Amino acid sequence: MIEREEMPFDVVIVGGGPAGLATAIRLKQVDPELQVVVLEKGSEIGAHILSGATVDPKALDELLPTWREDGCPLAETPVTDNWHWHLTKKGKFSLPHLIQPPFMSNHGNYTGSLGNLCRWLAEKAEELEVEIFPGFPAAEVLYDDNGAVIGVQTGDMGVDREGNPKDDFQPGMNLLGKYTVFCEGARGHLTKRLKAKYDLEADCQPQIYGLGIKELWDIDPDKHVPGRVIHTQGWPLSENDAWGGGFLYHQANGQVALGFVTALDYKNPYIYPFEEFQRWKTHPEIKAILEGAKRVAYGARAINEGGWQSVPQLAFPGGVLAGCSAGFVNVPRIKGTHTAMKSGMLAAESIAAAIKAGREQDALMEYDAAVRDSWIAKELKLVQNAEPMVAKWGGEMGTILAGADMWLRTLFGFGLAKPMKHHTDASNTQRADLYKPIEYPKPDGVISFDRLTSVSYSFTNHEEEQPCHLKLKDPTVPTEINLPVYAGPEARYCPAGVYEFVDPDGTGERLQINAQNCVHCKTCDIKDPTQNIEWVTPEGGGGPNYPNM
């Protein structure tokens, strides 16, 4: 038994992203006397934050109305120009704004670094005397004898590969709260356990995901148009019966943020999302912007794509889910910051009222009800069939049907179909013998790059002498099932080169896990066809160190 320090708070918040910080700020706005702590697994606030990002300021306006005049970095670049391109292999055609529902417009939105927005929000939280602990991942959920959540335990530091304490061993702490808010982002490892323990997904569809891969480039000033927002669909994924799309945002300081999202429900196990991104950059319209430019950062992150029908029950004894832990991304708009923040604000209001009434560690079903009666629900219900229609009927026909469904819901309150169902991304993966391997072009080192060089631009680092945070439930599965049946897809779906099949001594291939490369995108936990990989939190501060992603 390890002796652990205990620290009591009124509210414990897991995750220093926009949802967690909005929760903390709103709690202090409602009741300045509340003791609130935010845990963040990254080395600093923003270190693990990655998003496009074009942000709808709706929730920010509600939380901090003077943010534009108060030094918020997001205010630097309002959206000025908005394009949506359908790409063919060599050309493009623009989709007119008039055929898209009004809510698809980016008028009034801002583009910038979500990581820097979170850093600014953290400053505002600390001004209100919120305690923020960066470098302290929540490793375990703590329960009382009745099964209610009473807080979390942070990860131990100074443990060797075999799990033995080293000379610098520091045990994790128990942070106890009257309520605990889980804002871990998409596919949080504690959220996964909570969903299973309390059967939170009993009445909803399974969550599904996309893999977003992003880079920052310093471009030729003559090509930079501050506030220009470009989205693309079609090529190159259209060639392989998969779907997704690209983005290119002209942000502050002469930079563009560009990236590519691959829906993880693809069937062909030979699809290689990283290489699809590299191909996308070579399209003449994209390449023309990048010629003469310099890449400065790289990263990747899974994105919730299930929509409203995949939102689970949000409250359980002692805790709630908020932000991307719950899954509030508006997929057609490619936006989730505003909904994540609003969910955190609603959680804070319910928690503050409950504590004021003398309650603790019960199920805050009023929070669940508040979300379902909020503009989050109204917005997500308008687009709830967009993703499944594209997934079912393909990029071109699916886009037409999705557009019609959104227009009907906007104008008349009903769509082409009832809320459609999802299948998990892992279960969609089909046998390799049904497909031919895909030959991807070699990188040119100017516009396109190899995977390991790219990872170096994420500034990722993990202490090498620690237990591997990527757990195989059965170590025989990769070579006995995944490799012969699915051609070893883990070697392709990971955007950081963590997984590779090697045969160093000629005795047969085995799976090698290069955990130090991991950028915490969670794709392996999502897409592994046998669901044999479990991502758990590594030692505090490990992972990417994104400067302004």
Side-chain angles (χ1 to χ4, degrees):
M1 296 295 292
I2 299 174
E3 264 192 50
R4 300 184 185 276
E5 181 182 356
E6 291 191 348
M7 299 181 67
F9 295 90
D10 291 307
V11 186
V12 176
I13 299 170
V14 179
L21 294 167
T23 306
I25 291 169
R26 179 62 98 205
L27 281 164
K28 283 292 196 174
Q29 288 174 337
V30 174
D31 184 351
E33 299 304 314
L34 289 173
Q35 298 298 306
V36 180
V37 65
V38 176
L39 295 178
E40 167 54 43
K41 65 183 175 68
S43 59
E44 63 169 351
I45 294 291
H48 289 179
I49 297 293
L50 182 144
S51 177
T54 297
V55 178
D56 183 333
K58 187 173 185 178
L60 195 52
D61 286 339
E62 293 182 15
L63 182 68
L64 297 165
T66 62
W67 65 273
R68 291 172 184 81
E69 299 79 43
D70 203 15
C72 179
L74 190 65
E76 291 181 49
T77 316
V79 174
T80 57
D81 195 11
N82 187 33
W83 295 91
H84 192 123
W85 296 344
H86 187 286
L87 301 183
T88 60
K89 189 170 184 177
K90 296 295 184 181
K92 75 170 192 315
F93 58 87
S94 296
L95 297 180
H97 296 304
L98 288 176
I99 69 171
Q100 301 177 46
F103 60 77
M104 293 293 290
S105 169
N106 273 302
H107 177 73
N109 296 333
Y110 293 77
T111 183
S113 163
L114 188 61
N116 287 342
L117 172 61
C118 288
R119 291 179 176 99
W120 182 81
L121 288 171
E123 292 175 5
K124 295 301 168 187
E126 288 179 325
E127 288 174 8
L128 296 170
E129 299 186 343
V130 172
E131 295 191 56
I132 299 178
F133 294 171
F136 284 86
E140 301 289 343
V141 182
L142 301 176
Y143 303 95
D144 66 14
D145 293 339
N146 296 317
V149 173
I150 58 172
V152 294
Q153 184 180 110
T154 64
D156 295 336
M157 305 280 282
V159 179
D160 67 19
R161 291 177 185 269
E162 285 71 45
N164 301 311
K166 298 187 295 187
D167 291 341
D168 60 349
F169 174 73
Q170 292 182 332
M173 300 180 292
N174 291 339
L175 281 78
L176 308 178
K178 295 173 181 175
Y179 294 98
T180 305
V181 185
F182 294 87
C183 307
E184 300 178 282
R187 196 70 168 195
H189 80 291
L190 297 183
T191 299
K192 229 175 101 174
R193 298 175 190 176
L194 292 163
K195 285 181 175 181
K197 179 178 177 64
Y198 297 111
D199 200 15
L200 300 179
E201 294 182 307
D203 298 318
C204 71
Q205 292 296 304
Q207 186 60 258
I208 55 175
Y209 302 86
L211 170 60
I213 305 177
K214 176 185 174 181
E215 294 176 344
L216 286 179
W217 289 65
D218 292 329
I219 70 167
D220 183 340
D222 291 338
K223 299 178 181 180
H224 190 256
V225 185
R228 172 167 289 175
V229 165
I230 301 170
H231 293 111
T232 78
Q233 65 183 80
W235 189 87
L237 287 173
S238 55
E239 293 187 344
N240 293 313
D241 195 27
W243 70 280
F247 62 87
L248 195 152
Y249 304 152
H250 291 248
Q251 299 181 339
N253 304 315
Q255 287 189 331
V256 294
L258 61 107
F260 198 77
V261 179
T262 302
L264 289 176
D265 63 355
Y266 60 81
K267 296 178 174 59
N268 183 348
Y270 289 112
I271 285 176
Y272 197 154
F274 174 85
E275 294 293 354
E276 296 290 345
F277 173 40
Q278 302 310 307
R279 284 213 297 164
W280 175 80
K281 287 188 291 178
T282 67
H283 188 278
E285 296 288 344
I286 305 301
K287 187 176 181 180
I289 299 171
L290 298 182
E291 286 176 332
K294 178 185 178 182
R295 183 175 69 156
V296 296
Y298 169 87
R301 188 69 173 92
I303 305 165
N304 295 304
E305 291 192 339
W308 184 247
Q309 56 266 57
S310 293
V311 173
Q313 180 178 310
L314 301 173
F316 44 88
V320 299
L321 305 179
C324 284
S325 281
F328 297 122
V329 172
N330 184 320
V331 178
R333 295 187 73 200
I334 322 177
K335 290 177 179 58
T337 300
H338 64 304
T339 48
M341 291 180 66
K342 180 63 174 178
S343 69
M345 294 154 63
L346 292 172
E349 289 161 7
S350 294
I351 289 169
I355 292 175
K356 186 176 181 180
R359 295 163 54 191
E360 58 183 83
Q361 275 127 31
D362 57 350
L364 288 165
M365 298 311 297
E366 59 267 42
Y367 160 62
D368 187 281
V371 169
R372 297 179 194 279
D373 193 42
S374 71
W375 55 254
I376 297 174
K378 292 180 176 66
E379 178 175 325
L380 295 186
K381 286 178 181 178
L382 291 175
V383 301
Q384 61 187 327
N385 278 344
E387 188 283 339
M389 282 182 166
V390 175
K392 185 170 183 177
W393 283 291
E396 294 184 5
M397 180 56 69
T399 297
I400 293 170
L401 292 172
D405 189 85
M406 290 189 293
W407 266 115
L408 285 170
R409 291 176 183 276
T410 300
L411 296 174
F412 305 112
F414 62 86
L416 292 175
K418 293 179 180 179
M420 296 173 67
K421 296 182 179 181
H422 298 309
H423 302 284
T424 65
D425 297 315
S427 68
N428 274 312
T429 311
Q430 296 189 2
R431 302 192 321 266
D433 62 2
L434 300 174
Y435 299 89
K436 293 181 180 179
I438 301 170
E439 293 294 329
Y440 288 100
K442 291 183 179 180
D444 61 17
V446 179
I447 299 295
S448 59
F449 304 93
D450 67 87
R451 195 163 45 172
L452 293 184
T453 299
S454 296
V455 173
S456 70
Y457 282 82
S458 70
F459 313 104
T460 294
N461 187 56
H462 294 85
E463 172 61 45
E464 287 194 40
E465 190 61 22
Q466 65 171 296
C468 180
H469 66 280
L470 302 160
K471 307 293 185 182
L472 298 180
K473 298 174 186 175
D474 183 343
T476 68
V477 163
T479 51
E480 292 188 5
I481 300 177
N482 284 9
L483 189 58
V485 177
Y486 303 103
E490 50 268 71
R492 289 180 293 278
Y493 58 58
C494 174
V498 170
Y499 302 96
E500 58 180 331
F501 288 92
V502 299
D503 184 11
D505 52 13
T507 60
E509 289 187 287
R510 63 178 177 83
L511 181 66
Q512 178 170 294
I513 301 178
N514 307 306
Q516 187 163 4
N517 291 358
C518 180
V519 295
H520 299 196
C521 74
K522 311 295 182 67
T523 304
C524 56
D525 195 297
I526 294 163
K527 186 59 177 172
D528 181 55
T530 50
Q531 288 294 274
N532 189 51
I533 300 172
E534 183 180 12
W535 191 100
V536 300
T537 188
E539 194 167 284
N545 283 283
Y546 298 134
N548 58 334
M549 295 282 265

